[in-house]
Amino acid sequence: AMAADDPATLVARPGFGFGASQALIAENARFLPGGVSSNFRLGMAEGPLVFRRGDGAFLVDADGNRLIDYYCGMGATILGHTPPEVTTAVRAQVEKGILFAGQTEVEFEAARLLCARIPSAERLRFASSGSEAAHAAVRIARAATGRRSVIKFEGHYHGWFDSILWSAAPPLNAAGPADAPVPVPGSAGQDAADAAGLEVIGWNDAAAVEARLARGDVAALLMEPAMCNQGAIAPAPGYLERVREACTKAGTILVFDEVITGFRLHRDGAQALFGVTPDLSIFAKAIANGFPVAAVVGRAELMDLVVTGGVVHGGTYNAQPVTMAALVATQRALTPERHARAGARGQRLQDGLRAALSEAGLTAQVAGFPLMFHVAFGPDEPARNYRDVAAADKAAYVRFARALLRRGVRVLERGAWFVSTEHDDAVIDATLDAVRAAAREVADG
């Protein structure tokens, strides 16, 4: 069904059809397994959708549906889908050239900008994906400490590489006891040898971190500073501070994975919001508003190991000039005032969601941060860790997500909502109209 452009009309009828997308996926699955290029695009509402264009807070799909988008490119498009500042800068750079196998002044400008803003960034190296940046951070930490062991946390995701894709979303019947989680591979084809030295513990338990690090053999402790791949869970009061102190005492490198939290929780990173500075951090997603840029940043003596310490870090597309132009334009456009205005609207959306679900008689938790939050059906109190998130009624939430999609609002079925600067008051109002209708539909069964 073709929807009108006025956002206020998007909830007029729950009749959005997706047959054209479904036909295109089926046809092109002959060439692309599943019709997609990332497994994380499988299993979504109405099947993977095919999009023709984006416009601010909206996407237009192959059926002509104009959908309010809360995927935001899995969190990347913090300025919306067509920010003129970014598209103008990218066009200008494309005209100058695409890839030089050398350095550019726009790369230096991008590095200076991030080092000036991010507390942990004395030096940085660019990469093309968060997975690559996480891999580099672990390599640097092992080289710096001469140790092998790496600690990660249950429910935290740091990329799809064999060495780290463990216990990111483990089924609880395989995950072992909460106080001694068993590493669970995230994919077929992984081998226990891939996780040599990797240990998994539960998050938001400072005493567990302190006890493990006291043995003095851990190279790196890697975490999302707020747990945002599963849920949107803030660190408990004092947790990050105690982890920082324990890492310092044990000589362990503290690594923050800010792929999602960076630029969403605060324009200078969650580390600025929480006031805790790690040794290394990784950034991606919203760093360049959808262009493939990532960065590993950190203390000078650690980062310099890629020059003086024999640590290899490479990549043909690292600091590709077009993506660097996008980064600079994105970060300059993301002023404190613009970030705060978007955050206020994101908070209004959260508050409206909470009220609408309650009015419909649905027990749900709406928790997180203004530009990234999570909705879970079932729990009667906020989640503290992965096991709390895993206990939610996922099937009921999927019904809600699909009811929203039929009313022109696209949300991730895992419960995450990403908000951009282009989700203005009219878009928020239209969304809440759809939410109220979808909540009544789910409540009525």
Side-chain angles (χ1 to χ4, degrees):
M2 178 70 75
D5 280 357
D6 180 359
T9 69
L10 281 172
V11 296
R13 67 179 179 277
F16 284 67
F18 303 96
S21 278
Q22 292 164 354
L24 284 166
I25 293 293
E27 177 186 350
N28 289 286
R30 293 182 298 157
F31 314 107
L32 294 165
V36 302
S37 289
S38 169
N39 274 42
F40 301 115
R41 298 173 198 158
L42 291 169
M44 292 174 174
E46 310 302 336
L49 297 184
V50 178
F51 294 100
R52 295 270 159 82
R53 62 185 176 88
D55 176 20
F58 296 87
L59 287 171
V60 178
D61 69 12
D63 288 273
N65 299 312
R66 193 167 189 255
L67 306 173
I68 300 177
D69 180 35
Y70 289 100
Y71 277 56
C72 287
M74 293 296 193
T77 56
I78 196 166
L79 300 176
H81 289 290
T82 47
E85 306 95 331
V86 178
T87 56
T88 298
V90 165
R91 285 192 195 99
Q93 180 57 51
V94 167
E95 305 238 332
K96 297 175 186 174
I98 296 170
L99 189 65
F100 306 138
Q103 285 53 250
T104 58
E105 290 183 67
V106 70
E107 171 188 354
F108 301 149
E109 184 180 5
R112 286 196 303 270
L113 189 156
L114 295 178
C115 285
R117 291 225 324 248
I118 298 168
S120 64
E122 294 178 359
R123 304 251 206 284
L124 67 84
R125 273 287 182 91
F126 288 114
S128 297
S129 72
S131 296
E132 293 175 45
H135 194 69
V138 169
R139 180 177 287 183
I140 290 168
R142 281 177 163 151
T145 62
R147 302 171 180 175
R148 183 186 200 186
S149 294
V150 172
I151 302 291
K152 80 169 294 285
F153 293 85
E154 200 170 52
H156 292 218
Y157 173 78
H158 307 295
W160 66 280
F161 293 175
D162 285 353
S163 57
I164 204 68
L165 185 61
W166 295 80
S167 297
L172 294 186
N173 62 2
D179 59 354
V182 175
V184 179
S187 172
Q190 287 181 267
D191 187 279
D194 299 333
L198 186 71
E199 299 173 40
V200 177
I201 62 176
W203 195 62
N204 251 345
D205 181 350
V209 171
E210 290 164 343
R212 177 61 189 86
L213 294 189
R215 286 155 55 183
D217 64 339
V218 176
L221 185 143
L222 175 60
M223 70 155 84
E224 299 175 66
M227 185 172 152
C228 289
N229 269 287
Q230 297 288 331
I233 306 173
Y239 175 71
L240 293 182
E241 290 83 354
R242 286 177 66 182
V243 169
R244 171 69 278 179
E245 184 177 353
C247 285
T248 300
K249 184 176 180 181
T252 294
I253 304 301
L254 175 58
V255 185
F256 278 0
D257 182 334
E258 294 234 44
V259 168
I260 289 180
T261 62
F263 317 114
R264 283 199 169 272
L265 272 56
H266 190 286
R267 66 188 290 272
D268 300 341
Q271 57 198 263
L273 177 66
F274 296 128
V276 174
T277 303
D279 302 298
L280 295 171
S281 309
I282 64 175
F283 290 84
K285 291 196 186 290
I287 196 170
N289 205 69
F291 283 82
V293 182
V296 55
V297 315
R299 298 203 327 258
E301 67 268 24
L302 295 175
M303 293 304 305
D304 284 349
L305 292 174
V306 301
V307 177
T308 62
V311 174
V312 173
H313 170 253
T316 297
Y317 300 111
N318 293 357
Q320 196 255 23
V322 179
T323 68
M324 293 293 96
L327 186 159
V328 170
T330 298
Q331 295 300 327
R332 295 205 182 284
L334 196 62
T335 62
E337 298 77 17
R338 193 171 183 182
H339 200 280
R341 284 195 302 272
R345 292 193 293 266
Q347 190 61 53
R348 183 166 78 85
L349 174 60
Q350 279 189 65
D351 295 342
L353 261 163
R354 196 175 291 113
L357 295 173
S358 178
E359 287 164 12
L362 297 170
T363 302
Q365 293 296 317
V366 182
F369 308 90
L371 297 183
M372 190 275 155
F373 58 90
H374 183 266
V375 183
F377 282 19
D380 53 14
E381 61 183 34
R384 299 153 299 167
N385 54 37
Y386 171 72
R387 301 212 175 196
D388 289 348
V389 172
D393 186 346
K394 291 183 174 62
Y397 187 81
V398 167
R399 291 196 297 274
F400 177 64
R402 291 183 173 178
L404 282 175
L405 186 63
R406 291 194 302 273
R407 290 167 172 85
V409 177
R410 182 183 189 234
V411 299
L412 278 160
E413 291 177 326
R414 66 179 169 89
W417 291 56
F418 294 103
V419 179
S420 81
T421 60
E422 303 311 292
H423 286 77
D424 62 18
D425 285 323
V427 168
I428 301 299
D429 290 340
T431 301
L432 291 175
D433 285 344
V435 164
R436 284 185 280 269
R440 287 193 297 270
E441 179 182 320
V442 171
D444 292 344

